[in-house]
Amino acid sequence: MARNFRIGWVALAVIIAVGGNTVKADESSPMVSVEESPDLYTCPRHAFGEWDVEECAIMPMKIASSGPDESYFELDTTTDYSGIIENMEIPSYEGSLVEHLKSSNADSFLVYHKGRLVYEKYRADLNQGAFSIDYTEGDKHFLYSVTKSFMGMVFAKLLYTVEDFNEDDPVVDWVPKLANAPAFNTTTVRMIADMSSNFEWNENNPQWCDIVEFFTELTNHALNGFEGGFPITQYCEFVLYNYVDGGMNLAAVHTNSGQDYTFEDIVSLFPKTKNEIMKILRRGNTTGLREDDGLPAENGAAFRYQTINADVLALICDSVIQETYPGKYEGVFDYFQKEIWEKLGTDEDFTLTVDMGGIDNWGRGGSTAARDLLRIGIMLLNDGKNHMGDQVLPKGAVDDIFDGSDLSRSQLSGRGNNSNPAFTSAVHPELKVCEQMTGGDWSYRNQCYSYNPSGETGTGEIAYMNGFYGQWLYVDKKADLVLVQQAVDVDFLSRYAQSVAYLFALSMYFRCNPEIGSDVQASDVGTLGMSVVSATVGAFTATVLAMG
């Protein structure tokens, strides 16, 4: 199978920094760089031009092997779904789903329904021509924040398999080095997993970070020996994080900031890992928002999207693993590889970038092939069993992802216009009227979004993961449906509501037509043709999108 590390135009957002030097982590880490293994990368055209191999070859990564039990499954052509899927329309948006995929620069779109892969299209199938390098089955694609959800699965599995690990444990019980960290020393494990911790963090509005003030404050502190600790200029928290994990060339930013001292004068004093940044973040009520966000300031009371929570969760999980299984796993990445990835029956490897100090980028650094992302969805759809019937996650862990809780629902719905959208039944003369889904029944749980209208244990219906530039894994148990999309959509933020509306439309269509995919209905599906769906989608603002 192909072993390309296909990254879309991630070069602009993730691969610019680290000074062109390969960074080495601990010698025990299963890590390789492009300089050592050039076949892992292709350098695609992105919206701003062409990247050459030398510019791409600067990000080190870890590799989780696919394992010995690869299981290839064929596209099922018994039922022709193309008419339904490609012609799906939503009245509030112009064009069909396939036109939306083209405008979104989609690299892949897969549909798994009633135990069969029924639709599989890649860049060439969608007549995309914007990039010089094609994307096909087996090529890896950057996941962005879908990576967070992978860490959420690790957390859920540990929560249901380790007796001494509890969601109400204080973070500092498992990560003592954060005992003096203002942002985390009064925070529980569950607050981190569900992003309800409250600390100053501006991820959504980088324009609020005054870069001149940032460097001026930094230099003044440097000249005074950093008395009082390394400074974090308000609204610039994510800028520093972005630099550390390889996503921003601060040297270039400094050159353009008009300062009269060199970047080299102060760069040696910068934090080198995300773990160092955790220690200096400040507890506060603003959480990086210029105006009062109207949410309760109490820690754990409201959902706030902050990428570094995924990194804190990784530290917690790593500590649990080391204490519970001494000597068995090298760390949380090794645990993920052996206990989840290898057991999925994947075709390809999973890769994860690391920061300047060799620390895993669980916030947004993963890459995988479309079919293997689908296998994650199938496992979640099947209560933790892979497509071969082997248990990967405990059913209780999967239920915890899908079910949410009364608290997690209140944390998300309390965001007002940031709560998940409602959508109405499909409007087609041949369809039954289906239930309406409301925003108040959604949660952010274990680094995933989920929907559970009854609120009971084991009754959650939908869970999905999403990442910046149009990465989606969407699972609807009631519709017996898994959807996968990978894209390089530079207008992802402005197109977000439209993207989720099309996923909801497909979800509702199959809910309203349970006979589709059955032997009786198989010969008739293609004749349904265009299905018009009405979806009312609430505003998904940058609060739940930032660096997706």
Side-chain angles (χ1 to χ4, degrees), residues 96-235:
S96 65
L97 171 57
V98 73
E99 290 170 331
H100 169 71
L101 293 173
K102 289 180 180 180
S103 63
S104 301
N105 258 322
D107 285 321
S108 68
F109 194 79
L110 281 63
V111 179
Y112 182 89
H113 185 232
K114 293 188 176 180
R116 297 179 295 175
L117 177 60
V118 297
Y119 188 86
E120 183 178 29
K121 300 290 185 182
Y122 294 95
R123 175 165 287 277
D125 303 316
L126 297 168
N127 297 315
Q128 300 283 29
F131 284 24
S132 60
I133 295 177
D134 198 8
Y135 180 81
T136 60
E137 176 193 334
D139 289 340
K140 294 182 183 67
H141 200 290
F142 216 73
L143 297 173
Y144 289 95
S145 281
V146 171
T147 314
K148 293 180 175 71
S149 303
F150 285 20
M151 178 47 55
M153 290 187 294
V154 170
F155 166 74
K157 181 162 186 171
L158 291 171
L159 198 62
Y160 278 81
T161 56
V162 176
E163 184 177 356
D164 295 330
F165 184 39
N166 300 292
E167 63 179 25
D168 295 327
D169 290 345
V171 170
V172 297
D173 282 4
W174 291 103
V175 192
K177 61 186 174 184
L178 294 181
N180 296 318
F184 303 108
N185 57 13
T186 60
T187 301
T188 67
V189 167
R190 174 53 68 189
M191 292 177 192
I192 296 299
D194 296 353
M195 292 205 188
S196 63
S197 52
N198 182 9
F199 52 89
E200 291 195 1
W201 183 266
N202 169 38
E203 186 165 340
N204 312 313
N205 298 282
Q207 71 276 12
W208 291 355
C209 174
D210 185 329
I211 204 66
V212 174
E213 179 184 352
F214 174 82
F215 280 115
T216 299
E217 184 174 352
L218 185 62
T219 302
N220 289 339
H221 276 70
L223 294 174
N224 292 313
F226 281 95
E227 198 172 309
F230 191 94
I232 294 255
T233 303
Q234 190 177 30
Y235 309 131

Side-chain angles (χ1 to χ4, degrees), residues 24-97:
K24 299 294 182 183
D26 187 283
E27 290 301 320
S28 64
S29 300
M31 189 173 70
V32 67
S33 76
V34 180
E35 294 173 2
E36 297 161 341
S37 182
D39 64 312
L40 286 172
Y41 267 91
T42 56
C43 293
R45 177 191 294 276
H46 58 77
F48 301 97
E50 198 78 31
W51 287 88
D52 62 36
V53 174
E54 288 183 1
E55 287 176 297
C56 281
I58 60 176
M59 279 300 278
M61 69 194 75
K62 293 181 178 180
I63 301 175
S65 300
S66 57
D69 299 320
E70 296 180 7
S71 177
Y72 189 82
F73 50 94
E74 296 289 342
L75 176 66
D76 192 311
T77 57
T78 305
T79 303
D80 182 12
Y81 280 69
S82 58
I84 295 172
I85 296 167
E86 295 180 0
N87 296 319
M88 184 70 67
E89 289 188 350
I90 302 174
S92 54
Y93 298 104
E94 294 184 3
S96 65
L97 171 57

Side-chain angles (χ1 to χ4, degrees), residues 7 10-18 41 51 55-59 246-247:
I7 54 171
V10 64
L12 178 70
V14 176
I15 300 185
I16 320 177
V18 260
Y41 267 91
W51 287 88
E55 287 176 297
C56 281
I58 60 176
M59 279 300 278

